[in-house]
């Protein structure tokens, strides 16, 4: 039987990002002029979908939205990029999640202040309406861990009933220490570890130790991936083989916002299309490194093919 074309569902938050690009991080109580300002759709799984759509991979975002004018703009932007939102849940009378982002050209940092006062998180009951036959891959941001665990278990039950060709790959992002339980990795086939999660939750100081540490804690083994900014990325396969891929920094850092989301999406793209784990993290480094050198995401559409061609 021929392999199904990849179709990825990304579950989590969609928010509005208000971005100011500054020469340096401003002092408190100062009045400075930025180099560039914009707004754009944000949120980790929302950004994952943006990158996947630019790579012409079929994808869907699922999360909660408000009925505000701001959320209407977010939905319009998702639609323009051919990202399905057919299972999103709209709540009346709630505010749209909002992130104010300061990008420092001096240090290449991004500082985020996030607001989400009253928008409910996605629930298992919301997820039950999905037809799992439509997806080859589901990626979870565990914003509501108990409900996300139930969703992941539902996908596991599906995988137990279907043929190998119909199985859905489950990936999970462990990003926020203290909020994303490490045991959720037991339910995933692929786990993405953030640097801050590794440092604060796993108590390690480098990416290689991070993937080794998580691997040692899990009974059900999975692929574990950890990007560490300008140091590159490390990964471990289910057999415990440790892999390392070097960084691909741009000549000049322009926009570091969403670099981790870009890395994650590029790795999913490569794995979903049959590449091995090393090639996938190498591709993630290439795309994320290039992305830091330009504003936003759109230039990815011009570069993703030639960066993919020589992968093993």
């Amino acid at each position: 039987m021929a392999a199904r074309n990849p179709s990825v569902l990304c579950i989590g938050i969609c928010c509005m990002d208000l971005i100011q690009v500054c020469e340096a991080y401003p002092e408190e109580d100062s009045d400075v002029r930025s180099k560039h300002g914009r707004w754009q759709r944000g949120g980790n799984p929302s950004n994952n979908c943006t990158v996947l759509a630019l790579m012409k991979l079929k994808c869907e975002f699922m999360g909660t939205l408000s009925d505000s004018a701001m959320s209407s703009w977010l939905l319009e932007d998702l639609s323009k990029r051919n990202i399905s939102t057919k299972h999103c849940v709209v709540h009346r009378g709630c505010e749209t999640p909002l992130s104010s982002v300061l990008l420092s050209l001096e240090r290449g940092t991004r500082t985020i202040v996030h607001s989400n006062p009253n928008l409910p998180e996605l629930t298992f009951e919301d997820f039950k309406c999905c037809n799992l036959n439509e997806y080859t891959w589901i990626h979870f941001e565990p914003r509501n861990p108990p409900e996300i665990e139930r969703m992941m278990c539902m996908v596991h039950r599906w995988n137990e009933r279907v043929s190998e060709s119909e199985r859905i790959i489950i990936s999970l992002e462990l990003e926020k220490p203290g909020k994303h339980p490490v045991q959720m990795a037991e339910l995933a086939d692929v786990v993405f570890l953030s640097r801050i999660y590794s440092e604060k939750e796993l108590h390690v100081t480098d990416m290689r130790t991070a993937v080794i540490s998580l691997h040692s804690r899990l009974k059900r083994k999975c692929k574990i991936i950890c990007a560490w900014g300008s140091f590159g990325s490390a990964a471990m396969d289910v057999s415990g083989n440790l892999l390392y891929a070097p960084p691909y920094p741009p000549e000049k850092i322009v926009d570091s916002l969403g670099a981790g989301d870009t890395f994650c999406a590029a790795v999913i793209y490569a794995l979903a299309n049959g590449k091995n784990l090393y090639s996938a993290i190498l591709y993630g480094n290439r795309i994320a490194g290039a992305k830091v050198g330009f504003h936003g995401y759109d230039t990815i559409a011009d570069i993703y093919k030639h960066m993919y061609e020589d992968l093993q």
Side-chain angles (χ1 to χ4, degrees), residues 26-275:
E27 294 182 7
E28 186 177 357
D29 202 28
S30 62
D31 185 354
V32 300
R33 184 178 294 273
S34 71
K35 301 289 289 185
H36 170 73
R38 69 183 188 275
W39 71 54
Q40 69 183 31
R41 177 173 44 79
N44 292 15
S46 169
N47 292 338
N48 297 150
C49 283
T50 297
V51 176
L52 292 170
L54 288 168
M55 294 176 171
K56 306 302 181 186
L57 192 148
K58 183 179 179 182
C59 62
E60 176 183 343
F61 168 76
M62 184 178 184
T64 57
L65 297 165
S66 78
D67 60 347
S68 68
M70 194 181 295
S71 280
S72 296
W73 186 91
L74 295 174
L75 279 169
E76 181 181 354
D77 187 66
L78 285 158
S79 177
K80 284 180 179 178
R81 293 182 177 275
N82 295 316
I83 299 168
S84 174
T85 57
K86 63 183 179 181
H87 291 112
C88 284
V89 180
V90 177
H91 292 276
R92 296 186 180 279
C94 296
E95 295 185 32
T96 297
L98 177 67
S99 290
S100 297
V101 185
L102 288 176
L103 301 177
S104 168
L105 295 177
E106 180 182 65
R107 299 201 168 202
T109 60
R110 88 285 185 276
T111 302
I112 303 173
V113 179
H114 183 67
S115 169
N116 185 7
N118 60 4
L119 185 66
E121 299 290 356
L122 201 70
T123 68
F124 175 67
E125 291 301 315
D126 299 327
F127 180 72
K128 281 169 62 177
C129 69
C130 294
N131 178 6
L132 296 184
N133 191 51
E134 296 180 4
Y135 312 110
T136 62
W137 191 299
I138 302 181
H139 178 65
F140 292 96
E141 179 194 23
R143 297 188 61 83
N144 187 354
E147 296 295 290
I148 294 296
E149 284 190 19
R150 295 180 69 191
M151 297 177 204
M152 296 172 77
C153 287
M154 177 177 161
V155 180
H156 273 278
R157 292 193 295 272
W158 165 271
N159 284 341
E160 290 169 358
R161 297 194 303 266
V162 300
S163 66
E164 187 68 26
S165 63
E166 297 172 298
R167 285 176 53 85
I168 298 168
I169 297 173
I170 301 170
S171 60
L172 175 73
E173 180 179 28
L174 294 178
E175 182 194 29
K176 294 180 172 59
K179 295 183 178 180
H180 297 170
V182 69
Q183 64 267 23
M184 293 185 70
E186 296 280 2
L187 296 170
D189 302 302
V190 180
V191 176
F192 293 91
L193 288 173
S194 73
R195 177 172 179 170
I196 189 171
Y197 189 92
S198 300
E199 291 174 335
K200 302 296 185 181
E201 194 76 29
L202 302 180
H203 309 292
V204 301
T205 57
D206 66 89
M207 58 190 167
R208 293 175 178 85
T209 309
V211 296
I212 293 170
S213 175
L214 182 59
H215 180 86
S216 68
R217 297 180 184 213
L218 302 180
K219 295 179 180 178
R220 181 182 181 272
K221 302 305 181 184
C222 60
K223 297 182 174 106
I224 304 169
I225 299 164
C226 183
W228 211 270
S230 61
F231 293 94
S233 60
M236 182 166 281
D237 63 21
V238 294
S239 299
N241 297 307
L242 184 63
L243 307 167
Y244 166 75
Y248 287 82
E251 291 184 5
K252 181 180 180 181
I253 295 176
V254 173
D255 182 1
S256 59
L257 181 64
D261 301 334
T262 300
F263 171 84
C264 178
V267 170
I268 290 174
Y269 176 88
L271 291 176
N273 281 289
K275 295 299 182 182

